[in-house]
Structures are given as C-alpha cells and as structure tokens.
C-alpha cells in the first residue's frame, strides 16, 4: 500500500508527446482511474509508473521513494495487461506462483499463497490447466490472481475488461472493485469506458492527447467539468453544448426539460427545442433535436424521465428550459470553464429564440 | 444415389492425391535406394552397366566395400570430426544468434527486420570469395590443417543464417509476456531466460538442426583448411580419400554417403515445416 506520485512526467515518442507534464498524487488505498479516448497517453503513463517505459522528463515516486530510473522489479507493483499476458508454457498454478518464485519463496509457502489468491477469484479448480484451455473470463481471473498473490504495494490495470463480453464485464467490474476495497491496495486503472470509470473510481483523471484535463471524484467531474472536453466525454448521453455570443453554455440532458415540469419560481433559461426523434428506453425517453445557437442550429439531447407523461412528436417545436443553477459556462476559445455570466447578458438571445 | 456418388468422388480424390504423393515419395527415395544398392554391389556387377541393370543386384551382394571403407579409410574419424565440429559450431551459433535475434525482434518499428535482412545477406556471400582472406585469419590463429579452423570459420555463415531464422520465431513471442515477467520481479535477462527462451524452444531446436546441417555439408572451407586425414570432416574426407586420381571407389563412396544421409534426411523432414515457417515468419508478420 503505497502513495504513487508523478511530477511533471513527460513521455515523447519522436515528435509525439504521449504524456505531457502530468502531476498526479494517488493516495494510499485509492482507486484511481485514468480515463481518456484512444491515444490519450493512458497506457504510456501507466507503463512509466510500472518502469516498462523510461520517462522523457519528470519524476515518479512510489511510497515516497524516487523510482524514476529503477527497473520494474524494484518497484513492488503488479500489473495486469490488456492481453492478460499469461505465460503460455506454464499451467495456472505456475503462472500465479511465478512472481513468488522471483522472491525465492519455498514451495510450501508459494503453494499456500497461490491457493489463497486462487480462492479470491474462484479459480481453485483450474490450477492444472494451461492458459490456452481457459475462457476469456477465466484468463482474466488468473491474471488478477497472479497480480494479488505477491501482495504488492500498487496495482496497475490496463483495460483489463476490454476483452470480455458485456455481461461478464459488469460482474468483473464489481469483483475487481470489491476485492480492491477488501485488500485496500493503491490501484491505477486505465480505461476508455466512462461508465466503467464512473462506477469504479474513487477519483478519475481525464486525459486527452497527453494532457490531464481534470482530476476529481466522479461527482465532481459530472457536476463541475473543468472544460468542454470533460463535459462531452462523460455521461451517456454527454452534456449538451450550445454556442452563445459570449461563451459556450453546457447542460446535462436530464436537466433539459419541458417548461411545465420545472417549478415556476426557479430562474430558468429557455430554448425553442425542435424534436427530430424520440427514443423510448424504459425508464427514460431521449429526445433528439435542435436548438438555435450563435452559429446556427445545434444538435442536443433531452433525457426525460418516464414520470413526465407529456407527449412529444418528432417535427414539432416545444419550449424546454434549464434551471440557471444547472448551466455551466465555458470559454469560447479555450473551452475552459468560466464563472457564470450575469444571467441578463445571455437571456436576451435566449428570449429571442423563444419568441 | 447422391451418397454413392459422393463416396465415389471422395475415393477418386484421395486416390489421386495418394497416387501423386506416392510418386513423389518414390522419386525422392530413389537416390537413397540406388546408393544402398550400389554400396553392396560387387565390382564385376557394378562395372558392367550395359548388360546388368543398375537398380538391382545381378550378382551376389558383397560387403567388401563397406569393410574397405571402415578399415582402409578413417571413415569413423571423419564422422567424429564432423560431429565435433557440428557440436561446437551449434553451441557458438546459439550463443551469438539468440541474443542477436532477440534484440532485433525487440527493436521498435521496422529497423529490426531491415538489420536482420542485412545480416542474412552476409550468409549469401559465397565461401569461394572468402576462403582466401579467411586463410589469413586461420594462419594468424595458427590453426592451419586443423578441424578447429572450421569451428572458427563456420559460425561466420551459421550465425547470420540462424539469426534470421530465430528472428522470425522471436517476433511471434508477444512483448507483453516478458514485460509481465519483468513486472513480476525478474530482470530483463531473467525474463528472457525463463519466459522468452522456453517459448522460443521450437525455434532454438530448428537452429540446432539447421546449423548442424550447414556445417555437415560444407565443402570448400573444409577442403582448404584440412589436409591431414585425421582432421577432415566427412564432406571432404570421403571425397578426397575415396577418389584417387581418376579412380572412383564408387561402392565405398555410396556407402559412406548413405549412412550419413539417411539419418539426416529423417531429422530434416521432421523439422522442415518449422524451418519454413521460421524463415518466412519475420518477413510476413514484421
Ligand atoms: N512505442 C511507441 N512508439 C511510438 N509512439 C507510441 C508508442 N507507444 C505509444 N505511442 C503513441 O503515444 C500516444 C499515446 O499512446 P498510448 O498507448 O499511451 O495511448 P492510450 O491512451 O493507451 O490509447 P488506447 O486507449 O488506444 O490504448 C499515441 O499517439 C501513440 O501513437
Ligand atoms: Mg492503451
């Protein structure tokens, strides 16, 4: 259980800056998710922490010790690769005991620990199989068991669920989270799936093109996105963004509701919403449509809970509103979050749309 | 009716395939058979090809030529020399080609493959060009007329060849697996030893077989650098000792060849598939 810190960590591959000056501090026992689209530098960052990639610049500290130039084996961490990287020539037992062998543990102790690790993931009956005789889900468990058996200071997981089918993924997500809680090991978990990230992370670091855009709890990221990238990357469907003259305004689809639904006394911001398509999803309805932005019509989505029984038809215009407190304001040029602009400066445009 | 047709067609199909394969097998085995027959022919039978069919015994077979080979030439010494040279050269080749192939396979991008091809090109330089400069090296090492000269020289072509061969095998071993071993507490060398080498075992075996073969049938260097009978490997020993002027000791020659060729043919066949895949793997999957 160690604190992991990166200080101004940089990784360049030729001209590509894969990781651009990242400062992170992952607390003891914390579950940190690195979230970002493909090519955002998540794997590169993780591999530098593991010691598999040399940083171009910056520092890595594990448990307060500078390990920047230490080989992986000196860092007391374990890693689960996306491919699981099981040793194909060893059976499951030898796979799991391989890290213990490196420590020179005698056979009896290794056996005890392997059985303990196997029991966590319910794979005791597979110990004599070779990796090629296992299903995807079983392989993933073997890889996890091999990662915990050494009781490392840090866990690194690189998209460990992406090779599983959707159903297995949900249960595996739960399992990983539960055992991490139980043994309380500092964990860095890489994913490009925001649902996975929101569900599992104590905190999430959102990355894009090598830069860290925001670091915070799932709630913070959702409620207070630092910029338009974070806003549009999280949530399904993601936040709506509409360009206005002085800024970009953003609001979540579930906050974009028919006029009649909201309390009349709250300060609201209204739009003429032209519905183009209605999608019924059981608990919710998604309304896809257009509103008028500063640079012409903008596609946005409304998520209407099934409690609202109003009828909506494609092709018609309705008046939809957002509570003023649910509006986020972003800078036009940088996309960065800015303090709320005085309501009146924006309102005339909105009113104009309504009328 | 249709079922009957189907069976008939299958029979015809496999009949044809087996007929063709048998034809080729016989074709390939014929030289071995011919060598065996000649090895035991008497002189009178052998020297009268116009009246006697060459493919079978027209007079009683004799083992006098085999006896001659074993007693009047140093046949067993030749074999022993070849074995000795082979074992040492295989050892040297493995020691150099394995790390070379490993590091080429792990170079990022296509550099590794290009370098590998360059190294392979060295193998294609004919020994006829090289044996004169090589003789300087040999005399510098004071290994003239010694089988150890060949132990020094043969790696110059087995190493490039086997590096390329192993490169193909190493490429197919996922990088993740050895990185996993490094995270699991091993050094890069430890990971290579415990994970990469076991997985490259088929490739290593292929290298053993093929570098051994390469040394076994090498002729020019052996001819140039060994003159005493007791130092000659089989390829040169047999051809120089059993051809005197324009007299060919055909039966003994055939006997000498076939007893070395047969076991090799068997082993070669066992490894042929792997060999071909090893040679092309690097190129295709690069
Ligand atoms: N070995 C390498 N050589 C050159 N460029 C690389 C190398 N590894 C990564 N990159 C580049 O660095 C950038 C970040 O890659 P990285 O693998 O860290 O992204 P990622 O966030 O893990 O993406 P994904 O979700 O697709 O796995 C990419 O532009 C990638 O092309
Ligand atoms: Mg990745």
């Amino acid at each position: 259980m160690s604190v992991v810190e990166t200080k101004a960590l940089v990784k360049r591959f030729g001209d590509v800056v894969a990781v651009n000056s990242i400062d992170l501090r992952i607390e003891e026992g914390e579950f940190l998710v690195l979230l970002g689209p493909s090519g955002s530098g998540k794997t590169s960052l993780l591999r530098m922490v593991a010691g598999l990639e040399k940083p171009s610049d910056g520092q890595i500290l594990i448990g307060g010790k500078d390990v920047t130039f230490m080989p992986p084996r000196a860092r007391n961490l374990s890693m689960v690769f996306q491919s699981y990287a099981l040793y194909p020539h060893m059976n499951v037992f030898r796979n799991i005991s391989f890290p213990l062998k490196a420590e020179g543990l005698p056979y009896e102790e290794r056996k005890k620990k392997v059985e303990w690790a196997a029991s966590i993931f319910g794979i005791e009956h597979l110990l004599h199989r070779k990796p090629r005789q296992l299903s995807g889900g079983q392989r993933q468990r073997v890889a996890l068991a091999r990662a915990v058996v050494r009781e490392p200071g840090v866990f690194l997981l690189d998209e460990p669920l992406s090779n599983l089918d959707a159903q297995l993924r949900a249960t595996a997500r739960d399992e990983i989270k539960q055992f991490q809680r139980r043994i309380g090991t500092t964990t860095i978990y890489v994913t490009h799936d925001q649902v996975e990230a929101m569900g599992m992370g104590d905190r999430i670091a959102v990355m894009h093109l090598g830069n860290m855009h925001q670091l915070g709890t799932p709630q913070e990221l959702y409620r207070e996105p630092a910029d338009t990238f974070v806003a549009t990357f999280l949530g399904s469907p993601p936040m709506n963004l509409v360009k206005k003259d002085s800024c970009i305004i953003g609001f979540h689809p579930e906050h974009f509701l028919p006029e009649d639904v909201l309390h009349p006394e709250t300060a609201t911001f209204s739009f003429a919403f032209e519905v183009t398509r209605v999608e019924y999803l059981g608990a919710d309805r998604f309304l896809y449509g257009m509103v008028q932005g500063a640079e012409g019509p903008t596609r946005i989505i409304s998520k209407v809970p099934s409690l609202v029984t109003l009828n909506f038809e494609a092709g018609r215009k309705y008046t939809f509103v957002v509570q003023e407190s649910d509006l986020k304001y972003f800078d036009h040029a940088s996309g960065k979050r800015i303090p709320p602009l005085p309501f009146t400066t924006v309102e005339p445009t909105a009113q104009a749309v309504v009328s | 009716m249709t079922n009957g047709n189907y069976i008939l067609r299958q029979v015809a199909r496999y009949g044809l395939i087996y007929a063709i394969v048998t034809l080729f097998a016989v074709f390939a085995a014929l030289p071995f058979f011919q060598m065996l027959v000649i090895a035991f022919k008497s002189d009178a039978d052998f020297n009268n090809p116009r009246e006697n069919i060459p493919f079978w015994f027209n007079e009683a077979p004799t083992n006098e030529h085999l006896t001659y080979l074993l007693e009047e030439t140093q046949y067993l010494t030749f074999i022993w020399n070849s074995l000795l040279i082979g074992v040492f050269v295989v050892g040297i080749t493995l020691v150099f080609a394995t790390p070379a192939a490993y590091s080429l396979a792990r170079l990022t991008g296509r550099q590794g493959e290009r370098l590998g091809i360059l190294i392979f090109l060295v193998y294609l330089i004919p020994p006829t060009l090289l044996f004169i400069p090589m003789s300087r090296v040999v005399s510098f090492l004071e290994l003239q007329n010694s089988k150890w000269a060949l132990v020094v020289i043969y790696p110059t072509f087995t190493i490039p060849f086997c590096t390329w061969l192993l490169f193909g095998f190493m490429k197919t071993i996922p990088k993740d697996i050895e990185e996993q071993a490094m995270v699991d507490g091993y050094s890069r060398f430890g990971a290579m030893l415990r994970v990469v080498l076991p997985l490259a075992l088929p490739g290593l075996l292929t290298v053993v077989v093929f570098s051994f073969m390469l040394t076994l049938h090498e002729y020019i260097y052996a001819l140039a650098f060994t003159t005493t009978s007791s130092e000659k490997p089989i390829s040169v020993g047999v051809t120089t000792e059993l051809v005197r002027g324009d007299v060919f000791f055909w039966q003994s020659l055939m006997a000498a060849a076939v007893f070395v060729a047969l076991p090799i043919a068997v082993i070669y066949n066992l490894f042929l598939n792997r060999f071909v895949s090893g040679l092309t793997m690097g190129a295709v999957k690069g």
Side-chain angles (χ1 to χ4, degrees):
Chain A
M1 337 284 132
S2 324
V3 177
V4 178
E5 276 177 279
T6 70
K7 291 187 173 162
L9 201 60
V10 178
K11 180 70 197 182
R12 290 183 216 97
F13 293 105
D15 294 338
V16 182
V17 183
V19 172
N20 190 5
S21 190
I22 301 276
D23 288 293
L24 256 179
R25 185 185 156 91
I26 301 133
E27 301 297 338
E28 228 169 277
E30 189 182 14
F31 195 111
L32 181 101
V33 176
L34 290 179
L35 175 68
S38 192
S40 54
K42 313 176 294 282
T43 300
S44 306
L45 178 55
L46 198 72
R47 286 171 57 85
M48 283 192 282
V49 174
L52 294 170
E53 208 85 67
K54 266 205 200 80
S56 310
D57 216 333
Q59 261 187 324
I60 301 166
L61 285 82
I62 296 179
K65 206 170 71 179
D66 186 342
V67 296
T68 315
F69 298 105
M70 290 190 182
R73 64 179 186 282
R75 301 185 181 202
N76 187 31
L77 41 79
S78 23
M79 181 159 173
V80 176
F81 288 73
Q82 185 174 341
S83 62
Y84 306 143
L86 300 180
Y87 308 114
H89 58 302
M90 302 180 190
N91 65 18
V92 171
F93 179 91
R94 289 188 54 213
N95 257 285
I96 300 176
S97 74
F98 196 64
L100 301 175
K101 222 170 172 176
E103 293 173 355
L105 237 55
Y107 178 78
E108 277 309 313
E109 275 176 61
R110 277 192 323 219
K111 189 161 185 274
K112 233 187 278 166
K113 286 203 168 186
V114 169
E115 276 159 8
W116 164 74
S119 71
I120 297 183
F121 298 98
I123 49 169
E124 300 99 319
H125 59 294
L126 301 174
L127 290 177
H128 298 290
R129 297 231 194 130
K130 284 277 178 71
R132 64 170 177 278
Q133 299 165 316
L134 301 176
S135 71
Q138 290 168 334
R139 279 178 205 184
Q140 184 238 2
R141 276 155 213 234
V142 174
L144 286 170
R146 182 177 57 186
V148 300
V149 75
R150 203 158 50 121
E151 300 173 68
V154 185
F155 274 140
L156 307 176
L157 301 126
D158 192 355
E159 311 209 14
L161 305 184
S162 60
N163 287 336
L164 301 182
D165 60 46
Q167 211 168 3
L168 259 178
R169 205 178 296 180
T171 47
R173 197 158 76 200
D174 189 46
E175 266 176 22
I176 291 181
K177 186 65 194 171
Q178 291 229 346
F179 100 80
Q180 195 269 344
R181 277 270 155 70
R182 204 162 64 219
I183 60 179
T185 306
T186 311
T187 302
I188 307 180
Y189 184 102
V190 164
T191 182
H192 62 259
D193 179 346
Q194 53 100 6
V195 180
E196 217 168 280
M198 296 293 262
M200 297 176 85
D202 293 331
R203 282 192 304 164
I204 300 173
V206 183
M207 294 188 62
H208 181 46
L209 296 175
N211 295 303
M212 190 167 75
H213 281 238
Q214 192 171 5
L215 174 65
T217 64
Q219 290 85 342
E220 278 167 6
L221 297 192
Y222 195 69
R223 294 206 189 120
E224 312 295 338
D227 55 27
T228 50
F229 175 77
V230 177
T232 50
F233 196 67
L234 294 178
S236 60
M239 186 178 267
N240 294 309
L241 294 180
V242 180
K243 276 202 175 134
K244 288 292 167 194
D245 294 331
S246 49
C247 63
I248 299 171
I249 55 172
F251 45 91
H252 288 294
E254 65 269 29
H255 296 149
F256 184 60
L257 293 170
E259 193 176 30
D260 318 349
V261 177
L262 289 178
H263 294 293
E265 63 269 22
T266 51
T268 57
F269 192 87
S270 51
F271 293 88
F273 181 44
E274 186 185 347
V275 177
T276 53
R277 195 159 65 85
V278 182
E279 221 173 71
Y280 291 91
L281 290 171
D284 303 297
R285 263 182 296 176
F286 286 0
L287 308 180
Y288 296 82
M290 309 271 212
V291 298
Q292 201 62 34
E295 292 168 7
T298 312
R299 311 190 138 273
I300 63 170
I301 303 171
S302 161
K303 183 172 166 183
V304 183
S306 58
L307 285 172
V308 179
T309 51
L310 294 169
N311 195 33
F312 299 103
E313 279 169 34
R316 287 192 54 187
K317 267 193 186 175
Y318 300 88
T319 304
F320 269 55
V321 294
V322 186
Q323 283 192 38
E324 202 198 338
S325 55
D326 290 330
L327 276 182
K328 322 285 176 211
Y329 301 79
F330 302 97
D331 184 60
H332 250 306
S334 67
K336 289 256 188 303
R337 184 83 180 275
I338 49 176
L341 297 175
F343 195 58
T344 44
T345 60
V346 187
E347 200 173 24
T349 355
Q351 288 303 329
V353 174
V354 175
S355 56
Chain B
M1 188 60 209
T2 46
N3 203 8
N5 261 343
Y6 175 74
I7 291 172
L8 248 167
R9 236 181 297 135
Q10 287 292 306
V11 169
R13 221 172 75 120
Y14 282 101
L16 188 68
I17 291 174
Y18 275 94
I20 294 172
V21 170
T22 311
L23 195 74
F24 274 105
V26 168
F27 181 73
L30 204 63
F32 291 95
F33 172 75
Q34 175 82 88
M35 284 158 90
L36 262 179
V37 169
I38 291 177
F40 293 100
K41 274 195 177 203
S42 66
D43 281 333
D45 185 359
F46 181 76
N47 290 327
N48 195 1
R50 234 161 267 138
E51 285 162 34
N52 296 335
I53 39 169
F55 300 110
W56 197 238
F57 299 104
N58 306 285
E59 288 167 35
T62 165
N63 65 0
E64 72 179 278
H65 303 290
L66 190 61
T67 322
Y68 179 84
L69 177 70
L70 293 176
E71 286 174 4
E72 302 299 314
T73 71
Q74 301 194 32
Y75 183 56
L76 294 180
T77 310
F78 301 155
I79 292 185
W80 172 245
N81 285 345
S82 276
L83 271 177
L84 206 68
I85 293 168
V87 166
F88 273 92
V89 171
V90 165
I92 293 172
T93 306
L94 281 178
V95 166
F96 284 91
T98 312
Y102 172 74
S103 38
L104 286 178
R106 287 297 177 255
L107 275 178
T108 47
R110 302 190 72 84
Q111 294 172 56
E113 194 176 333
R114 287 198 201 109
L115 269 174
I117 289 173
L118 277 182
I119 290 176
F120 182 72
L121 286 180
V122 174
Y123 168 75
L124 299 179
I125 301 174
T128 33
L129 277 181
L130 283 180
F131 81 94
I132 294 172
M134 286 292 191
S135 69
R136 294 290 296 266
V137 177
V138 168
S139 66
F140 173 77
L141 295 173
E142 306 200 344
L143 291 174
Q144 301 99 320
N145 188 19
S146 157
K147 52 181 168 286
W148 299 107
L150 302 180
V151 172
V152 174
I153 288 172
Y154 286 171
T156 59
F157 58 84
T158 57
I159 289 174
F161 183 79
C162 294
T163 301
W164 175 249
L165 193 65
L166 264 181
F167 170 77
F169 279 97
M170 298 274 192
K171 265 261 148 149
T172 63
I173 300 172
K175 212 171 160 185
D176 282 6
I177 292 179
E178 69 191 90
E179 287 181 340
Q180 178 76 60
M182 285 166 69
V183 174
D184 281 348
Y186 296 86
S187 61
R188 180 171 273 281
F189 188 70
M192 182 179 148
L193 226 56
R194 285 162 181 277
V195 177
V196 179
L197 290 190
L199 290 177
L201 201 64
L204 293 175
L205 277 179
T206 313
V207 161
V208 168
V209 170
F210 283 90
S211 51
F212 190 78
M213 304 288 174
L214 284 176
T215 65
L216 202 61
H217 74 219
E218 202 288 326
Y219 189 79
I220 293 175
Y221 288 133
L223 186 67
F225 297 119
T226 59
T227 40
T228 319
S229 293
S230 61
E231 295 294 323
K232 286 176 180 170
I234 184 94
S235 59
V236 167
V238 166
T239 45
T240 52
E241 310 267 311
L242 293 173
V243 182
R244 307 245 173 89
D246 57 354
V247 182
F248 287 71
F249 291 64
W250 278 116
Q251 291 96 322
S252 302
L253 267 173
M254 289 300 151
V258 80
F259 289 121
V260 175
L262 268 180
I264 290 174
V266 171
I267 299 175
Y268 210 84
N269 272 299
L270 291 179
F271 277 85
L272 195 63
N273 273 342
R274 281 183 173 166
F275 175 64
V276 172
S277 61
L279 266 187
T280 51
M281 246 184 299
V284 178
K285 294 196 176 168

